[in-house]
Amino acid sequence: VRPLLGVVLAGGGAASAARILAGAAFRAGHDVKQSEGQRGGAAASDVRYGDEVLSPGVAAGEADLAVALDDAALAAARAALRPGGVLIAPSLVPPGAVADGRGLRLALLGALSARLDLAEEDWAAALGEAAPEARREQDEAAFRLGRRLGREAATEGVP
Amino acid sequence: MRQLITGEEAVALAARHAAFTLATGHPGDPSSELLEALARLGGAAHRAPDEKVALEVGLGVASAGGRALVTVSRAGLRLAADPLFAAACAGLTGALVIVATDDPGAPASPDEPDGWRAAVAAGLPMLEPADAQEAYDLALEAVAISERYRVPALLRLSARIGRTRSVVLSRPDLAPPPPAPRFERELAGRVTSPDQARAAQRRLRRKLEQISDAAELLPANRLRHGEPTLGVVAAGVARLHAREAAPEASFLELALVHPLPMRLIREFAEGVDRCVVIEEGEPVLAEAIRAAGVPVEPTPGPHRVGELDVARVRRVLRREARPDDAPAAAPPAGPCAGCPDRALLDALARLDLIVAGDVGCYSLGATAPRVDALVAAGASIGLGLGLRHALPEADARRVVSVLAAADLVRGGVTGLVEMVYNPPPSGHVLLVLDDGVPTVAGRQDQPASDAPPARRTTGISIEDLARSCGVKAVDVVDPADPGALERLLRERLAAREPAVVVARRACPLPPGDPLRRERAAAAERCLRGEGP
């Protein structure tokens, strides 16, 4: 039995980022639910996946991982986390490393991917579906950068 | 085929697979995406000027042996109440499925009512899915019930279910064969006149008894045997929260929520030591079960406000009456930074007017800068007239009604006639904001969207409409020129006669269809005050 995971994404663009995560988990053969709403005034989207997902949302203080997509959503992301849960914050991506807000969101999604047991080809397929042709390369580069930064942070034990 | 789609998309898919003749509705969150999804799938989807006419069209389709899907938001269900109650007694020859979207927690609505009560009041069967798969399955079930019992069927979607993406295995092979529209002359079923009323009521009650009997054996109502110490009766998404909160418990999971399988419920409740009803919002289920003499614990009052989640259900089951922990949603931030009507609302505030406002974007003006009263679509005109009738002269002359062009069409035309027919002694000023957008959630087409981003419009002229209702003072202004607007308003307010001022400028947000996600993101930025 694979453990049921609950991930909360908070901040601008949360829904589209969550959609990519949900798509990757779906391709990996998981049962998935992705819901949208607000957390503490920030736009937020919850993704749960595993063998069987019942409730669509992650209750406050029960997320295994939370991603703040902008600094304004940091408090909301922290409040979503369970004790010992992993927070992924925009400060992980050095200033200037990505071109724009979309790039930052994809880099943070890449950092998230370093903590999840989903295959790279499932991520690639989900990313491809979400990107307009013209953005695809740029999106993938931002995601790969984030994935590398996420791996380094995970091995150093820095959240 | 397996797909990851929302509840609304799942209903649209079912409608496509069941070869619905027509789907129609008025855009209004949280039910605005279903018609867009159906149109993308190649189904016939219309946008109606309001929910009442949408339901009437649906009733006509179903009276001709066709299959009709009508979508209504929670406010839309109330607007359509008159034909809804009449439709319950009419004899259909086809199917009428009404998708009624409630909004527990009210992220997109000013209130938090319960469509379930409407099903009970009108005497209509109602199904409630808990995820997208069930939304697909129960939409097909609703067709079967509607056609078998010749009665409209309600499919209740919460905003949560409608907008949550989950895995759907679609089964077009299980959809009922396509309808073959034909007309049958059947006076007793079609004409809801007083002499037919008693027979119609008896017929409806008989149908409900038959549906209730069938519900006792309906596979979609599921028994889950667990520990006999705790039994939970629940429907919709509340069921799923409860199954996670108490995985060991016994469950009676209801998909058909009206009428109820009372024998099944009684038997279930008698088989467990403690039986709790978990429901979001109004205690409709618990009340019905207790009224039938079955002792169950209702979800306590403090937990009836806002959405449930797993943590809240755990507290209910532990008998903790502690209410919602979740912080209330942030108040709306006022109109978008780039909104042309922002200058207009500022002008109203400067003139120190009493503003009877309306639904949609303009409700954002209630926090900043200025809307004093707000009720329902189109209600601003009557509200403003009433204020003028009651207030002392000096204050009466400060009252203006403000509404969007779409809401003038949706619910305001009778108000316009009233303004001319029963004018207050001080006259009245109606300000129509024509930006081509029905609501902040919408950006869909509607008949009065003369300006972009509409793709299709009837080209209704607000000016001609006002003149033909007998309004003599009709002007068009640009809201981006607040000086001119202020001068005109002063003049009209002093004139003591009915006046209509149309403020016309397109909303700068880009047209959205079919990419609502971008639109939503734009609205999100807009609500944060960052402009489009």
Side-chain angles (χ1 to χ4, degrees), chain A residues 39-133:
Chain A
R39 284 179 183 265
S45 185
D46 301 357
V47 179
R48 302 184 82 204
Y49 68 87
D51 284 339
E52 189 192 18
V53 182
L54 295 172
S55 172
V58 177
E62 300 194 0
D64 298 295
L65 301 105
V67 184
L69 296 166
D70 48 52
D71 288 333
L74 264 173
R78 271 201 199 96
L81 275 181
R82 66 168 165 77
V86 175
L87 176 74
I88 293 165
S91 57
L92 183 74
V93 182
V98 288
D100 54 11
R102 184 184 170 102
L104 176 63
R105 286 197 289 278
L106 283 155
L108 291 169
L109 205 55
L112 173 70
S113 79
R115 306 278 188 156
L116 301 176
D117 186 19
L118 296 171
E120 267 184 74
E121 67 256 31
D122 293 326
W123 280 108
L127 279 168
E129 198 171 72
E133 195 64 50

Side-chain angles (χ1 to χ4, degrees), chain B residues 19 219 227 419 433 462 466 528:
Chain B
E227 298 289 334
M419 179 167 88
L433 309 184
I462 302 299
R528 285 203 305 269

Side-chain angles (χ1 to χ4, degrees), chain B residues 24-27 47-54 79 406 409-411 446-447:
Chain B
T24 181
H26 179 80
R47 289 188 180 117
D50 74 14
E51 292 86 348
K52 182 173 174 288
V53 74
L79 189 68
V409 175
R410 185 180 178 214
Q446 38 84 34

